[in-house]
Amino acid sequence: MCLKTYFTVCLLFFLGLLPWQTHSQQLSSAVKQFVAVSADTIALVHAIVIDGTGGPAKNDQAILIIKGRITKTGNTKNITVPASAKILDCAGKTVIPGMVMMHEHLFYGESLPPYYLGVEMPISFPRLYLAGGATTIRTTGSVEPQTDLNLKQAIDKGQMPGPDIDATGPYIERELLPIPEVQFIKSPEEAAEEVNYWIARGSTSFKVYMDITKDDLRAVVSIAHQHGLKVTGHLCSVTYREAAELGIDNLEHGFIPASDFVTGKKENVCAFGSVTPSLKNLDVNSPAMKDLMKFLIDKKVSITSTLPVFEPNTGRELCPGGGEQALAPQIKEAVEKNYNAQVGKDTSDISLFKKEMAWEKQFVDMGGRLMAGVDPTGAGRTVPGYADRHTLELLVEAGFSIPVVVKICSLNAAEYLGRDKEIGSIEEGKRADLVLIDGDIQKDIHAVRNTEIVFKNGIGYDSKKIFESVKGMVGLH
Ligand SMILES: [Zn+2]
């Protein structure tokens, strides 16, 4: 850059005329409309900070952000705030790291018997995740992998609001469930072909599904690992123990899909109807379950909790964490009808839900790595963003302390993704991905619903404005 240009650019920066170019990227007007805070230097002062490392909350903290990076943290009185800084007084507010959420499809699940549809939501879902505080997501199974990759690119280029995306390839699956969007494989060779094809196009992780064989999994893990990529699974035909032996990195939905306890289970066969009863019969303190957990921990297999999608109906919200206003009216009507039909009839689901919470706590207490996600499928009740915040509430209900809950939803996942040097906690040198919440979440965890500003890369997005922008859109686009 010639000197004259350099000085002109500096002058424009100084005058605040290039606010969108302060950190590395140009934002389109589609993104700019949601920006609430953008400045070269930003200081959050007097905040309650829960930093994502699992350490205790700290009061009266300051976070200094320069060009999208956290450059200084500490007690407000010890931090020198530059005169040029945009100062946000965060008294009475909580700051947590931008959430790193691990089961965040970009499609909405719709049950239309005999089919189950995955309907891509390219407009509403990326916005909802960001508005709810998720600054990084893994898609964990895709029905339109090319759309997901295009969305990721549009977000990275600043053309669309949304989180960073770890784009998972298509579901690797044999024919089992009537999901018309899934390409069913017939052999391990076809599984390998599919994985290679999508790696070449930019997929950065893979998910195997309920009816694969052990040989399919072996092929997928081998190729993914050769490329430094990870494999997760929502299993049924293959047990957790078998998958861990074959090198899987992560298992979805906590322990609810574990077919390890089905008596007389046949190898490579998904006895779909037997898994849930086998877990309902299992004692919450079952030594066999503890033994499985120990095996998973030894094999370094992480678990993803997806409590919102399993939330029972009785005594619970229509949409876990709220968000029914985001549903398209005809979708809301169908979801409501289904919900009302289940209320009062889900006693055994309630007890399995509680057991699942207890197992997740045991797994962490034993040293396992737990991450979390919302999974916007199931009966269509789970709305991204709203459910992401609610995940924090549910993990508190499961018995975790608030700092650990925050860690499960941030640093644990960042470590799994190999991105913990960059994101996942509020530490000097890391990217300024932060969620500013109005209220003290230690006093009342439900304050997480008051997300005010979500910072991604040091740019602060207006959470309420984004939520407002997608009202009535979920189920349509
Ligand atoms: Zn899923």
Side-chain angles (χ1 to χ4, degrees):
M1 194 186 288
C2 78
L3 265 186
K4 194 177 161 206
T5 317
Y6 177 74
F7 283 119
T8 310
V9 170
C10 284
L11 184 68
L12 289 172
F13 269 123
F14 182 69
L15 295 173
L17 294 177
L18 288 176
W20 315 111
Q21 294 176 335
T22 46
H23 346 119
S24 72
Q25 69 174 183
Q26 187 111 28
L27 302 180
S28 73
S29 54
V31 179
K32 276 186 206 170
Q33 62 175 321
F34 300 115
V35 174
V37 184
S38 177
D40 226 22
T41 306
I42 302 167
L44 279 65
V45 297
H46 304 303
I48 302 154
V49 170
I50 300 169
D51 67 9
T53 63
K58 291 181 193 150
N59 292 323
D60 199 10
Q61 297 292 294
I63 301 169
L64 191 64
I65 303 167
I66 299 180
K67 292 190 164 84
R69 293 265 150 195
I70 299 167
T71 58
K72 209 90 198 138
T73 61
N75 197 287
T76 302
K77 66 174 185 294
N78 300 330
I79 303 284
T80 314
V81 176
S84 60
K86 165 134 187 77
I87 299 172
L88 300 185
D89 186 347
C90 302
K93 298 178 183 181
T94 309
V95 182
I96 63 171
M99 293 198 283
V100 183
M101 298 300 280
M102 296 297 275
H103 199 122
E104 317 295 281
H105 300 292
L106 291 173
F107 66 88
Y108 176 73
E110 263 182 74
S111 182
L112 285 177
Y115 302 109
Y116 190 84
L117 306 181
V119 186
E120 191 81 359
M121 294 289 130
I123 308 298
S124 58
F125 276 22
R127 286 191 203 178
L128 283 164
Y129 286 122
L130 185 67
T135 47
T136 299
I137 62 166
R138 181 182 65 183
T139 54
T140 319
S142 175
V143 296
E144 285 189 24
Q146 192 56 55
T147 313
D148 288 5
L149 287 167
N150 292 344
L151 293 173
K152 173 191 168 64
Q153 208 178 66
I155 292 165
D156 288 349
K157 285 182 178 167
Q159 295 165 347
M160 181 185 256
D164 272 14
I165 297 176
D166 173 31
T168 305
Y171 288 84
I172 311 286
E173 174 66 327
R174 294 195 181 220
E175 192 160 2
L176 177 76
L177 299 177
I179 308 174
E181 290 86 354
V182 176
Q183 180 199 341
F184 300 116
I185 55 154
K186 292 187 182 67
S187 64
E189 291 72 29
E190 281 190 19
E193 221 173 88
E194 201 174 9
V195 171
N196 279 318
Y197 179 92
W198 286 103
I199 288 176
R201 272 144 197 87
S203 297
T204 42
S205 67
F206 288 89
K207 177 181 178 185
V208 295
Y209 210 46
M210 296 167 68
D211 203 32
I212 50 145
T213 67
K214 286 166 71 176
D215 285 341
D216 298 338
L217 177 58
R218 190 177 285 116
V220 172
V221 166
S222 158
I223 298 166
H225 286 182
Q226 278 166 36
H227 288 84
L229 305 179
K230 287 184 168 164
V231 179
T232 192
H234 172 175
L235 302 178
C236 178
S237 52
V238 174
T239 66
Y240 275 28
R241 193 177 286 267
E242 289 167 341
E245 267 162 2
L246 292 166
I248 204 164
D249 302 290
N250 184 195
L251 295 161
E252 298 304 304
H253 308 299
F255 297 90
I256 285 180
S259 56
D260 299 61
F261 308 98
V262 172
T263 39
K265 184 190 170 307
K266 292 195 183 71
E267 194 174 54
N268 294 327
V269 175
C270 169
F272 194 36
S274 310
V275 178
T276 303
S278 76
L279 293 168
K280 285 180 175 167
N281 287 333
L282 201 65
D283 189 84
V284 68
N285 292 311
S286 152
M289 178 59 99
K290 292 215 166 98
D291 197 54
L292 173 62
M293 288 179 186
K294 190 179 174 307
F295 188 75
L296 298 177
I297 293 164
D298 287 347
K299 293 280 180 189
K300 300 194 169 22
V301 179
S302 304
I303 294 283
T304 310
S305 161
T306 60
L307 293 173
V309 77
F310 295 128
E311 190 154 350
N313 294 19
T314 307
R316 303 273 181 166
E317 293 160 290
L318 172 66
C319 292
E324 54 263 39
Q325 65 273 30
L327 299 175
Q330 65 272 43
I331 297 287
K332 189 183 161 207
E333 206 178 297
V335 169
E336 215 158 19
K337 197 173 153 207
N338 190 24
Y339 167 84
N340 288 330
Q342 300 295 319
V343 168
K345 296 181 192 132
D346 54 357
T347 326
S348 75
D349 294 344
I350 294 170
S351 74
L352 185 58
F353 185 66
K354 293 223 172 305
K355 220 182 239 184
E356 172 57 29
M357 285 180 160
W359 284 332
E360 291 179 8
K361 180 74 170 46
Q362 287 170 18
F363 180 70
V364 173
D365 289 346
M366 287 169 69
R369 175 159 60 203
L370 188 70
M371 316 187 285
V374 303
D375 191 8
T377 61
R381 292 166 61 207
T382 316
V383 182
Y386 295 94
D388 288 274
R389 305 189 298 202
H390 182 54
T391 302
L392 299 164
E393 298 172 343
L394 287 174
L395 289 168
V396 168
E397 190 182 329
F400 294 104
S401 72
I402 289 176
V404 171
V405 165
V406 171
K407 182 170 183 265
I408 290 168
C409 296
S410 58
L411 191 58
N412 282 5
E415 283 170 355
Y416 174 87
L417 293 172
R419 297 193 61 207
D420 52 305
K421 295 246 176 327
E422 187 72 0
I423 58 168
S425 60
I426 303 175
E427 291 178 271
E428 291 171 9
K430 287 199 184 185
R431 224 170 79 165
D433 287 1
L434 309 165
V435 188
L436 176 62
I437 297 161
D438 189 7
D440 182 351
I441 66 169
Q442 301 168 103
K443 287 191 186 130
D444 178 15
I445 188 63
H446 297 98
V448 293
R449 299 187 182 201
N450 306 324
T451 41
E452 202 173 290
I453 296 170
V454 179
F455 287 92
K456 185 189 156 203
N457 247 328
I459 293 170
Y461 295 89
D462 185 329
S463 169
K464 286 189 183 63
K465 197 169 177 189
I466 303 179
F467 276 126
E468 198 64 35
S469 78
V470 295
K471 262 190 175 169
M473 243 191 226
V474 171
L476 297 180
H477 40 252

